[in-house]
Short mmCIF file of all heavy atoms in Angstrom, two decimals:
data_model
loop_
_atom_site.label_atom_id
_atom_site.label_comp_id
_atom_site.label_asym_id
_atom_site.label_seq_id
_atom_site.Cartn_x
_atom_site.Cartn_y
_atom_site.Cartn_z
N LEU C 380 337.50 112.22 -150.57
CA LEU C 380 337.91 111.22 -151.55
C LEU C 380 337.38 109.86 -151.12
O LEU C 380 337.30 109.56 -149.92
CB LEU C 380 339.43 111.16 -151.66
CG LEU C 380 340.15 112.41 -152.21
CD1 LEU C 380 341.64 112.27 -152.04
CD2 LEU C 380 339.78 112.62 -153.67
N PHE C 381 337.04 109.04 -152.12
CA PHE C 381 336.48 107.71 -151.86
C PHE C 381 337.25 106.68 -152.69
O PHE C 381 337.27 106.78 -153.92
CB PHE C 381 334.99 107.65 -152.20
CG PHE C 381 334.16 108.61 -151.39
CD1 PHE C 381 334.05 109.94 -151.74
CD2 PHE C 381 333.47 108.16 -150.26
CE1 PHE C 381 333.29 110.83 -151.00
CE2 PHE C 381 332.70 109.04 -149.51
CZ PHE C 381 332.62 110.38 -149.89
N ALA C 382 337.88 105.73 -152.01
CA ALA C 382 338.55 104.63 -152.70
C ALA C 382 337.58 103.46 -152.83
O ALA C 382 336.93 103.09 -151.86
CB ALA C 382 339.79 104.20 -151.92
N VAL C 383 337.48 102.92 -154.04
CA VAL C 383 336.53 101.84 -154.31
C VAL C 383 337.31 100.58 -154.68
O VAL C 383 338.16 100.61 -155.57
CB VAL C 383 335.57 102.22 -155.45
CG1 VAL C 383 334.51 101.14 -155.64
CG2 VAL C 383 334.91 103.57 -155.17
N LYS C 384 337.02 99.50 -153.99
CA LYS C 384 337.64 98.21 -154.26
C LYS C 384 336.73 97.42 -155.19
O LYS C 384 335.60 97.10 -154.84
CB LYS C 384 337.85 97.45 -152.95
CG LYS C 384 338.52 96.09 -153.09
CD LYS C 384 338.66 95.47 -151.70
CE LYS C 384 339.38 94.16 -151.75
NZ LYS C 384 339.53 93.57 -150.39
N VAL C 385 337.23 97.11 -156.40
CA VAL C 385 336.41 96.49 -157.43
C VAL C 385 337.05 95.17 -157.85
O VAL C 385 338.27 95.07 -157.99
CB VAL C 385 336.27 97.42 -158.65
CG1 VAL C 385 335.41 96.78 -159.74
CG2 VAL C 385 335.66 98.75 -158.24
N SER C 386 336.22 94.15 -158.06
CA SER C 386 336.69 92.83 -158.48
C SER C 386 336.05 92.43 -159.79
O SER C 386 334.85 92.54 -159.97
CB SER C 386 336.36 91.79 -157.40
OG SER C 386 336.70 90.49 -157.83
N GLU C 387 336.91 91.96 -160.73
CA GLU C 387 336.40 91.40 -161.97
C GLU C 387 336.51 89.89 -161.99
O GLU C 387 335.72 89.22 -162.62
CB GLU C 387 337.18 91.99 -163.17
CG GLU C 387 336.62 93.32 -163.65
CD GLU C 387 337.10 93.64 -165.04
OE1 GLU C 387 338.31 93.92 -165.18
OE2 GLU C 387 336.29 93.61 -165.99
N SER C 388 337.52 89.37 -161.30
CA SER C 388 337.71 87.93 -161.21
C SER C 388 338.48 87.64 -159.93
O SER C 388 338.84 88.54 -159.18
CB SER C 388 338.47 87.39 -162.42
OG SER C 388 339.80 87.89 -162.44
N TYR C 389 338.77 86.36 -159.69
CA TYR C 389 339.45 85.96 -158.46
C TYR C 389 340.78 86.66 -158.29
O TYR C 389 341.14 87.10 -157.19
CB TYR C 389 339.64 84.44 -158.46
CG TYR C 389 340.52 83.93 -157.34
CD1 TYR C 389 340.06 83.93 -156.02
CD2 TYR C 389 341.80 83.44 -157.61
CE1 TYR C 389 340.86 83.47 -154.99
CE2 TYR C 389 342.60 82.98 -156.58
CZ TYR C 389 342.13 82.99 -155.28
OH TYR C 389 342.92 82.53 -154.26
N ALA C 390 341.55 86.79 -159.36
CA ALA C 390 342.89 87.36 -159.26
C ALA C 390 343.02 88.70 -159.96
O ALA C 390 344.13 89.14 -160.23
CB ALA C 390 343.91 86.37 -159.84
N GLU C 391 341.92 89.36 -160.24
CA GLU C 391 341.95 90.67 -160.88
C GLU C 391 341.11 91.65 -160.07
O GLU C 391 339.90 91.49 -159.93
CB GLU C 391 341.42 90.60 -162.31
CG GLU C 391 342.32 89.88 -163.28
CD GLU C 391 341.76 89.93 -164.70
OE1 GLU C 391 340.78 89.22 -164.96
OE2 GLU C 391 342.29 90.69 -165.53
N LYS C 392 341.79 92.65 -159.54
CA LYS C 392 341.12 93.70 -158.77
C LYS C 392 341.48 95.05 -159.38
O LYS C 392 342.43 95.18 -160.15
CB LYS C 392 341.57 93.69 -157.31
CG LYS C 392 341.56 92.32 -156.64
CD LYS C 392 340.17 91.78 -156.45
CE LYS C 392 340.23 90.40 -155.79
NZ LYS C 392 338.90 89.78 -155.67
N THR C 393 340.71 96.05 -159.01
CA THR C 393 341.03 97.42 -159.42
C THR C 393 340.78 98.35 -158.25
O THR C 393 339.77 98.24 -157.57
CB THR C 393 340.18 97.87 -160.62
OG1 THR C 393 340.47 97.05 -161.75
CG2 THR C 393 340.52 99.31 -161.00
#
Side-chain angles (χ1 to χ4, degrees):
L380 295 171
F381 298 82
V383 185
K384 181 179 183 180
V385 180
S386 174
E387 275 198 291
S388 66
Y389 171 71
E391 289 184 287
K392 313 292 179 184
T393 297

